[in-house]
Amino acid sequence: MLALGCLCASTALAYKTVGFRWASEAGPIVYRLDPAGSDDITDGSDHQRIEDAFQAWGCAEGTNLRFSRGPDMTGPGSSGDGLSSVFWIENEAGLSPFGLTENNVAVTINNVIIEQGATVENQETDIILNGVHFQWNSQGQASGNNIPIFPIMLSHIGTMVGLDQSCTAADDPQCPGEDQTILKWFYDYSATTPLPDDVSGLQSLYPADDDSQCEGPFRQGERCENNCDCIGDMVCIPGIYDYNICAPQCTSDANNCPPQFACLFGAKGEDDIAKGTCVQVGTQQLRPIGSYCEVNTQCENNSCLAVADVGRSICRQTCSDDGDCSENTQCLDGVCIGFGPFEGIGCDEEPPSGCACTQNATTDPSAALLLGILFWGFRKRRRP
């Protein structure tokens, strides 16, 4: 069932939620950009303003929601391909598949099935910008059909994360005030950041659960250069999007990896516990050889079996020597298992906090593909 949103129970706040959230516990929302950008801008500032808008939401206080720019799009934009994308449509024929007309500046399409009375998980959102009927700029000025990128993106990202319009009309009795939210029936071209009511809604969906900050230290799944960029005992290792990410450590006595990660164990130690590191697998990616699993279909080799040297079920592959195993595993007693906890990428120098790390970069060969099916769309007209 598709639902457009529900008013939160608190009478002190007017923010509205649509009925979905992202699994922020797994790491940042990864989005892609069309390398072509806008036909109206040739200096790359169109991409920068989009990134600035995502950063503004990711730096809202008291939340664990973050964003990360992933690899650029490699083909025409489409909805329902399992990948969150931001792109312009620059030809008339390309508008109608996304429901865009000469009256719509942009549309947000959340590919998720809304369930009445429940909050479901979203895995894909596309933001499509109308480059046919509007001219775009990166300077923040609006004049006629000349539209600034940043405030448009700021508004549509709010819808992307699961918030609905707090103010639907000038006489909306539930509106907290036009100066309290950017999610209203018109675009606020002066907006520079989410406003108090927007932040309250974000905190309700994505409450902060660690000491990470938008500019570091970083949490699981966020970009890093070395171990000292990460919170706690997380290590900086290659992720599935061709950049390094912060990853937690894990053990066989507790399935303690966050969503979209799987524990790659080493052999059990004297304490009868196997230690390892949580490697990123994404939402639909199959788990690598040697990592924790529950059923065969989770594994890239379709084999999930208990292994005595680990004390857990793992994606089990038999071997005669290390050459039969993947890069991050070794052959032990005829089975490919991990080497133990990754050391990660060593810190360039010892910071004041005393973090001291060693160099041992590893490679995770897996790649991610997110799958989506139906969509909930949001369009907004310019204020008359």
Side-chain angles (χ1 to χ4, degrees):
M1 178 177 181
L2 298 182
L4 294 182
C6 53
L7 184 64
C8 292
S10 172
T11 57
L13 301 170
Y15 64 81
K16 300 175 185 178
T17 58
V18 177
F20 70 81
R21 68 183 299 277
W22 295 75
S24 56
E25 302 80 8
I29 297 175
V30 178
Y31 63 91
R32 305 179 308 158
L33 300 183
D34 182 354
S38 167
D39 285 356
D40 303 317
I41 301 171
T42 59
D43 62 358
S45 59
D46 46 357
H47 285 175
Q48 184 58 57
R49 295 306 279 157
I50 292 173
E51 291 187 58
D52 291 344
F54 277 109
Q55 181 76 349
W57 278 98
C59 286
E61 292 187 1
T63 84
N64 66 8
L65 187 66
R66 306 285 188 268
F67 300 89
S68 180
R69 178 178 172 179
D72 283 345
M73 296 168 57
T74 57
S78 62
S79 180
D81 60 2
L83 301 168
S84 295
S85 306
V86 180
F87 55 93
W88 273 267
I89 297 295
E90 301 286 1
N91 61 84
E92 187 74 41
L95 295 176
S96 58
F98 302 105
L100 286 169
T101 71
E102 68 275 8
N103 296 316
N104 303 120
V105 176
V107 60
T108 303
I109 300 178
N110 294 304
N111 288 274
V112 62
I113 300 175
I114 303 299
E115 299 178 6
Q116 187 70 32
T119 299
V120 298
E121 181 181 319
N122 187 17
Q123 296 179 1
E124 179 198 347
T125 291
D126 298 302
I127 299 176
I128 302 98
L129 308 170
N130 187 342
V132 178
H133 299 288
F134 299 92
Q135 186 175 13
W136 294 81
N137 71 72
S138 56
Q139 304 305 314
Q141 303 299 317
S143 177
N145 279 6
N146 194 295
I147 303 295
I149 296 170
F150 180 84
I152 303 300
M153 284 299 304
L154 200 65
S155 177
H156 282 268
I157 294 169
T159 309
M160 175 184 190
V161 301
L163 298 176
D164 203 355
Q165 291 185 38
S166 296
C167 300
T168 58
D171 58 353
D172 183 356
Q174 297 175 337
C175 176
E178 293 182 18
D179 61 345
Q180 296 297 302
T181 178
I182 61 172
L183 299 174
K184 41 206 173 195
W185 75 101
F186 63 91
Y187 290 114
D188 185 348
Y189 293 124
S190 64
T192 59
T193 187
L195 294 174
D197 193 66
D198 311 319
V199 174
S200 294
L202 202 65
Q203 291 170 344
S204 73
L205 289 172
Y206 309 99
D209 55 2
D210 56 37
D211 295 327
S212 66
Q213 302 291 328
C214 69
E215 296 182 351
F218 303 115
R219 66 200 313 268
Q220 60 264 22
E222 290 195 82
R223 289 176 183 257
C224 57
E225 294 184 1
N226 56 56
N227 295 344
C228 290
D229 288 339
C230 305
I231 61 171
D233 63 351
M234 292 189 187
V235 291
C236 185
I237 65 173
I240 58 177
Y241 297 108
D242 297 325
Y243 53 78
N244 298 324
I245 62 163
C246 296
Q249 306 286 14
C250 52
T251 62
S252 60
D253 63 338
N255 184 21
N256 54 343
C257 287
Q260 301 180 28
F261 284 79
C263 189
L264 181 60
F265 298 111
K268 290 191 293 186
E270 294 181 357
D271 56 2
D272 205 37
I273 294 175
K275 298 178 181 179
T277 300
C278 300
V279 294
Q280 189 180 35
V281 295
T283 55
Q284 299 293 331
Q285 178 68 26
L286 296 176
R287 299 185 179 191
I289 303 300
S291 64
Y292 172 76
C293 60
E294 295 175 344
V295 294
N296 290 341
T297 53
Q298 291 178 318
C299 300
E300 63 182 36
N301 64 338
N302 197 38
S303 176
C304 179
L305 294 169
V307 173
D309 285 325
V310 173
R312 279 277 191 169
S313 292
I314 64 172
C315 295
R316 185 179 183 274
Q317 177 171 303
T318 58
C319 56
S320 57
D321 55 45
D322 289 350
D324 295 330
C325 300
S326 61
E327 184 175 358
N328 292 321
T329 59
Q330 60 184 326
C331 188
L332 184 64
D333 295 333
V335 177
C336 297
I337 66 171
F339 291 98
F342 288 25
E343 293 183 1
I345 300 174
C347 304
D348 293 333
E349 59 183 6
E350 184 172 322
S353 61
C355 175
C357 318
T358 57
Q359 179 76 32
N360 183 23
T362 57
T363 302
D364 179 0
S366 55
L369 179 64
L370 308 178
L371 300 178
I373 43 177
L374 299 180
F375 72 85
W376 175 85
F378 168 75
R379 301 173 185 82
K380 189 184 293 186
R381 295 171 178 259
R382 292 180 300 156
R383 188 175 193 175

